Amino acid sequence: MTKKQSLGEGPIPHEERPQGLHSGCECGDDSISFAEPFKRGFTRRRVLQGSTAFAAGLAVQPLMARYAFAAPAASPTQRVLINLCFRGGLDQHTWFPLLGNSKYAQLRPTIAETAQTAFPLSRGVAALNEFKDLHTTLGAAGFGYVPAADSQDRTHSHFEAMDLLEGGMNTPSSDGWAARALRLLPNPAVLSAVMVGGTLPKSLSGSSALTLDRIESFGLNGGDEVKAKSAAALQKFYTQYKDPVATTALETLNAIKTINTLSKSEYQPASPYPDTGLAQAFKTAAQLVKAKVGLRFVNIDMGGFDTHTNSKGQLHDHANEAAGALNAFFQDLGAELRPFVSLLTTTEFGRTAGENGGQGTDHGHAQGVMVLGGGSTGGVRGGDPIIGTSGPDNETKGTNDLRDVLTEGLTWLGVRNAASVFADHRFTPVGAFKK
Amino acid sequence: MGRHSGDAYDAPDEWRPEPWTEGAVREADRRPGHSPVTRRQLLGMLGVAGAAAACSAGVSVVANKAGDDAGSDGAAEGPPAKPIGLAAGIAGITAPTSDKASAKAYDKTGYRSAKPPGVAAQALLQRPTILSLDQDLHWARRLTYGISAPALRELKAAGRDAYLDKQLTVRPDPVVDAVSDRYPLLKMSTSQLKQLFDGNDEKPDDQKLDYMATEDQLVEMKIIRTVWSVNQLFEKVHDVWTAYVHVPIGDKTRLLTAAYDRDVVRKHAFGKFSDMLKAMIFHPAMLVYLDQPESNGNAKQKDGRPAINENLGRELLELFSVGALDPITGRPNYDGRLDVVQSAYALTGLTVDRDTLTMKFDPDMRYRGPLKVMTWRHPNTDPEQGVAVINSLISYLAHHPATARTVATAFARHFVSDTPRPQLIAKLAAEFTKAGTDIKPMLRALFASEDFRKSVGQKYRTGWEYLAATLRATQSQLDPNGTDAIAERQGTIQGVRDLRYQVEQAGGGPHGRGTPDGQPDFQAAWLSGKGMLDRWNQNSITAGGFWKGITVPDGVTLAGRPGNQAGLVANLGRQLTGQALQPGFVTAVHQSIGSPMTTPAGQVQDVPTVVRTVLSAPHLNYT
């Protein structure tokens, strides 16, 4: 017997209700035991694209790094762009305090940074002392910062903002800006993107990204023997005939072999990495860069930046971790490879210039963007940030657009006509990246 | 973008279409060492810029820039090949995303870049395929989500015509009915759901209903139906309609999509499209999704323009009826500005009562003035009679010949091939129109067509179709009372939730497509290295029976308890793919097992991996 498909309109009679769903029923049993209670921020986000990232931003901090490969040229060395994404909304006024602005200390009576905790960059912008070593490694010319880049988000919602960020900052789209950009690389990749972590970030969605947890564990699952036998069988299967499916399969198998070859030898970095998840992801990235397998684009997430309360301690810890990983990474690359690797940071939104009642800050609009490495022009770039005096949260108005910084980064990477990645936006140079 | 969209499949030189009867050994198999790829250097393959692989048009030859290899395997040099691992990307086609949170707005660049390849003029011939050309197998594959031995037996016993008759009626569904109690939200109306969830936020955590419970149930039930419903053809047709009049799950359409699926799509999937379109335009899910409540035809914005929102008016023309361009001629069907605006005016007054989540008509928001959309006209004098005017427009659009062609294209693309012939489209459209937009005569004509007969193996399965096919092939059963079937979430089935998570990782599951154009239905959107690796890895989960609450018979049972390894592999091949695997594939399986073919079946090591290997044969990728 086919069960009834619909209960019709009107209130649902008691007999029709399943156990545990009698809320509002005439029997008066108000409990809903039917389904697991909604844990704020986790359950529903589990199945979203990039969901682990949201969880990262709000609670636990799983780390994800994603790598994109392109066909390696024999020479010259190809450029690599890294997007370090801070999930939660990085407070740029802690990491890069506007010490030169007279309002700064007034707006943050308890959590302001000072000349003792931060060193000057230029134009009234300072950087936390945690970044000093990194600054020395890169040099002033390799350490750049754009203080107020607007991301077009107006909702202050992590979801919407992250979606906007990854989609391309105009309107949420069905593919990501990184994916669109990778398609415009001159030697488009055999396998355009490889990523670490279980979920494809939206920025890379639309690219054929592979998952890469760690190099050692990438590929077919199963024990070593099973893996080898499975790979051999698949290789034979897909050489029995030829069509686009077979070709894709064979390329995938080759990519697996390549990456597994890398993992066989224990990687000896030129300089030691701290023992943090973020540093390990950068270590893997360095290994891939040095192996010259055609790495072009890397996406690494770092969570835990939604600092509504007691933000100072957390942000200093994060700065320590980030700076340590970045410093180890750029040192490991060495002077020979540093010119070819750039890094920029993104986050959903910046935070308010003024502190809230809980020694923290709330969601703002404009964000600060770090531009590090070979493609950076160094120094503080772009228009001045304007700290609003009106409005409940002392917004930092962006005088630059994040899309412009991204376009410059993609252009430096070698993406042709990078501005077309952000279709609804007219590119205005910021000067954060070299050509 | 779109360089490859519309490319016809050019059979490569060394692969001429040849009749492929079951058991016949392919010419290529007889030539030892004929393997154009095996001599490639590993990194060289990755490294040869722009020449790494055949292009998605299927040109066979790879220009090998590594000089020492050129010509050594006898492969002729062809035109420079285009890299294909980015097939999805190169063609400007995006894999779909499961984009629950972002149904707020959609970016034209995003979804229009996912254009399917067009209707293509071409000869009517069976293209090369590794699948058996047996028509019973072809029907079993194409009219269901995948061959399962019991379903194939049913088809063979009844004969194809009788089988089609049975599948065109919706029969009672024992497996689905058995679990439907666990998905009660799917039976409720939107106002009942609203009532249920009102005040949910204030409840203590252990009494709260999951925020997205309704949407989760909708998706999980679709997965269950995909694999285990007896009404397989209905579910496939439901897929086409879901993409056609698409409303995604998400924050914006929360509490609305399950009712929409039931009352608009499922109710009319085997009926008349004119009824479906009418139900669609008045359903709160579609109205909310495309912002119709914000469309006020009787007010002006600050700059003097009418305060209408064009989304629904535009998509009504572009996606849900006539389509922007005629699929056969490629000519625009309507004026992209004027007709869209008029369509938007025509729909004003439709809005949603937020307290009950039901449609309401507000004459105060109705545009006043005569209306004209394409060749439809209406004086539209009385705002109170707006619903009747809308009915008139819907009827015009539903019965329009361009709509017939667009609908026919959607079904031909799903059931025949990515690039259906214009003659087929025209024939199906004629049936559709003759039947007054009833879908069944068109379906009959489709399955009776020569195009369908000669389309063996021409469709590449999407991520979740592949997963469903492997579950059907292994004759998996739903066991909701299994000990670990209900883990975190009471009521629903853990394994099904995991299946859903798996398919969403693979690029998109049911109802998930964030943009209104619906899930793409062509190979380039789904073919990727990541997708392949996902398929191989999930086969090990399936073969090992690790989906919680879903049982899979062991390999020896599946193979009918053969005597030795040779029988095991041969029978597994036949059970899982429906056909005898070609010798090259069989040899590969034996080599991966390692032991001799005469090994007694009971002594074959690691049978689950054998099952996984056979499942991972290329055959299940195609339908």
Side-chain angles (χ1 to χ4, degrees), chain B residues 237-254:
Chain B
V237 169
H238 171 265
D239 276 348
V240 183
W241 284 131
T242 299
Y244 199 82
V245 290
H246 183 66
V247 173
I249 54 178
D251 231 343
K252 190 178 190 187
T253 52
R254 205 170 74 78

Side-chain angles (χ1 to χ4, degrees), chain B residues 64 99 117 133 151 155 159 177 181 201 247 304-305 307 405 421 455 474 481-482 488 493 518 520 579:
Chain B
N64 183 7
D99 226 349
L133 296 182
L155 183 142
D177 285 348
D181 282 341
D201 281 348
V247 173
R305 286 183 302 155
R405 286 192 285 275
R421 291 188 317 140
S455 67
T474 50
N481 296 314
E488 299 167 33
I493 300 166
Q579 68 187 65

Side-chain angles (χ1 to χ4, degrees), chain B residues 300-316:
Chain B
K300 298 253 187 286
Q301 299 176 50
K302 281 204 205 97
D303 54 7
R305 286 183 302 155
I308 52 167
N309 184 302
E310 288 180 11
N311 285 345
L312 184 54
R314 182 190 330 113
E315 304 309 346
L316 175 61

Side-chain angles (χ1 to χ4, degrees), chain A residues 344-368:
Chain A
L344 59 83
T345 63
T346 52
T347 186
E348 291 104 303
F349 32 65
R351 302 187 88 87
T352 52
E355 68 176 69
N356 60 24
Q359 278 99 55
T361 54
D362 298 325
H363 304 170
H365 286 319
Q367 57 181 274

Side-chain angles (χ1 to χ4, degrees), chain B residues 45-197:
Chain B
M45 181 112 176
L46 286 173
V48 179
C55 83
S56 64
V59 173
S60 69
V61 178
V62 175
N64 183 7
K65 299 239 158 76
D68 46 332
D69 264 1
S72 58
D73 54 5
E77 289 294 329
K82 298 160 214 165
I84 143 174
L86 260 191
I90 286 179
I93 293 161
T94 59
T97 67
S98 164
D99 226 349
K100 285 165 78 167
S102 73
K104 177 152 280 187
Y106 50 95
D107 148 49
K108 296 173 193 23
T109 330
Y111 81 80
R112 278 183 194 135
S113 71
K115 261 193 338 209
V119 165
Q122 59 201 270
L124 181 53
L125 51 75
Q126 171 65 57
R127 293 175 190 283
T129 173
I130 54 174
L131 299 188
S132 161
L133 296 182
D134 177 86
Q135 285 295 304
D136 281 343
L137 290 177
H138 178 46
W139 278 56
R141 272 184 235 111
R142 208 50 85 73
L143 272 71
T144 72
Y145 284 94
I147 293 180
S148 77
L152 181 61
R153 277 196 294 274
E154 183 197 335
L155 183 142
K156 282 191 190 287
R160 296 194 289 274
D161 291 334
Y163 176 78
L164 178 60
D165 284 335
K166 272 207 283 186
Q167 284 287 306
L168 282 175
T169 39
V170 179
R171 292 175 287 163
D173 221 335
V175 174
V176 173
D177 285 348
V179 297
S180 68
D181 282 341
R182 295 173 191 272
Y183 300 90
L185 300 180
L186 300 182
K187 299 194 183 137
M188 298 187 188
S189 70
T190 52
S191 43
Q192 287 162 352
L193 287 168
K194 178 81 172 30
Q195 219 179 15
L196 190 63
F197 279 85

